[in-house]
Amino acid sequence: MEGSRTARVAFAPGRVNLIGEHTDYNDGLALPMTIGLGIEATFAPSSGAELVVESDLGTAVIDPGKPRGAGIPPWASLAAELSRRLDAGGGAVRVRSELPVGAGLSSSAAFCVAFALALGAEPLPTAVARLCQEVEHATGAPVGLMDPLAVMSGVAGHALAIDFATLEVTPVAVSERAAFVIVDSGVPRTLGSSPYAERRAQCEAAAAVIGRPLGKARPRDLRALDDPVQRRRAAHVVSECERVREFTEAVSSGELERAGALMVASHASLRDDFEVSTPELDRLVEEACATEGVYGARLTGAGFGGCLIVLCRPGTALDLGVRRWSVAPSPGAWVREGPGA
Ligand code: GLA
């Protein structure tokens, strides 16, 4: 994928996952939706070799002729890796973000997608998602495809039913009686330093025993697992994929009590079987669920900190004393070309 020497502005939204956690790298199912908050990247080409990236987090000068220095911030490593792969050449990129970093709202995938599109990556969802995933892997975060694929594929008013075995994305209309609030536990996490990679390895080991990806396994397959940790990890993935199927039906047909109960069950499974919750997330989920008008809540994203997603009636007064955002399913990434970009 090669960039070209044109001025561009690109926008990539964050995403919140409604249900289907730690299923993407297991060829399973998930139902994320893109939100209105996001990251904008503006590219102005120049004749020099250097790419100057100016973001809210600082300025980085990327010189393709020089080796990457150690100790540069993660966002600058991602930018350097993308500009190298896209053969971007010199110029200036300005990045503006409304997304909190490390809160589990996909700031990293949104950064990669906005940056890649601004540098001229062809806006094909699967290709851009794979590029962003490769770049994250190259910089030490062994993420799945959910975040960049959702960021690229968002549709206003819809969540995205994704089957990671085929990478088919099906927009699912969300009931107008459903409102969503993201609540920040205030505990930041990075996927490089969290036990995310360990969870992936445990799932792969369980899949090898069962003989198929956990996202395609059935409850009876769990009997083949003697290792109790592998069995719990697999039990989460198998039950979570079933919850995604049921939730998709419930949230589109307006059965919001049922959808909320599935979110609560998902949280319990992530807490007890997948062991990626924190006491703070557990407490906030309980408090949210005790609030009038709330159907259900669960941690969203990788876990180990970050945010919860709350499903409630529109207008619900949800104040848990921490940062929160009311969000609605919003359009996916876009890019515009031209000198005025
Ligand atoms: C992070 C990763 C995703 C996915 C989730 C857990 O957001 O980037 O690929 O694995 O965790 O569902």
Side-chain angles (χ1 to χ4, degrees), residues 14 20 44 57 85 96 149 203 210 262 326 336:
L57 300 172
R85 286 169 196 243
R96 291 284 168 264
L149 191 56
C203 288
I210 288 176
L262 288 161
S326 284
R336 227 178 28 233

Side-chain angles (χ1 to χ4, degrees), residues 22-294:
H22 291 276
T23 50
D24 61 347
Y25 54 81
N26 285 303
D27 282 0
L29 308 172
L31 191 76
M33 71 180 199
T34 36
I35 60 178
L37 302 171
I39 296 185
E40 190 180 271
T42 310
F43 173 61
S46 76
S47 54
E50 283 180 355
L51 189 68
V52 180
V53 187
E54 186 239 312
S55 87
D56 309 328
L57 300 172
T59 300
V61 179
I62 297 164
D63 184 338
K66 290 200 188 126
R68 270 189 291 142
I72 64 169
W75 65 270
S77 304
L78 293 170
E81 211 36 60
L82 281 166
S83 57
R84 192 176 62 73
R85 286 169 196 243
L86 290 164
D87 199 11
V93 186
R94 213 181 59 236
V95 182
R96 291 284 168 264
S97 176
E98 305 159 324
L99 283 173
V101 176
L105 299 182
S106 214
S107 59
S108 188
F111 176 85
C112 287
V113 169
F115 199 85
L117 294 179
L119 290 193
E122 238 191 294
L124 303 169
T126 311
V128 172
R130 283 197 197 284
L131 169 70
C132 295
Q133 185 192 34
E134 280 167 26
V135 162
E136 295 248 24
H137 284 194
T139 58
V143 295
L145 271 171
M146 171 170 69
D147 303 349
L149 191 56
V151 166
M152 282 299 295
S153 312
V155 178
H158 293 68
L160 307 163
I162 308 182
D163 181 342
F164 291 95
T166 57
L167 296 187
E168 195 184 339
V169 181
T170 311
V172 174
V174 170
S175 161
E176 283 176 7
R177 291 185 290 111
F180 299 95
V181 182
I182 295 170
V183 177
D184 188 0
S185 75
V187 182
R189 93 285 167 281
T190 58
L191 295 185
S193 64
S194 73
Y196 183 89
E198 186 195 54
R199 295 297 185 282
R200 278 197 77 144
Q202 290 164 339
C203 288
E204 275 157 29
V209 175
I210 288 176
R212 55 174 134 173
L214 297 184
K216 296 278 155 280
R218 297 274 169 266
R220 65 171 177 277
D221 294 327
L222 301 177
R223 286 188 225 132
L225 295 166
D226 293 329
D227 180 296
V229 173
Q230 282 179 18
R231 193 193 267 236
R232 286 207 306 277
R233 304 296 186 253
H236 164 71
V237 176
V238 172
S239 62
E240 185 78 347
C241 289
E242 187 48 39
R243 283 186 289 271
V244 174
R245 284 189 197 92
E246 287 188 34
F247 183 95
T248 302
E249 220 180 270
V251 85
S252 54
S253 64
E255 291 168 80
L256 301 180
E257 303 279 352
R258 181 171 159 228
L262 288 161
M263 289 172 82
V264 172
S266 166
H267 184 81
S269 176
L270 287 159
R271 182 191 61 212
D272 303 336
D273 283 341
F274 218 69
E275 295 177 284
V276 293
S277 189
T278 64
E280 190 58 7
L281 283 165
D282 295 345
R283 189 183 66 76
L284 288 166
V285 164
E286 249 177 60
E287 276 186 32
C289 290
T291 305
E292 172 67 29
V294 169

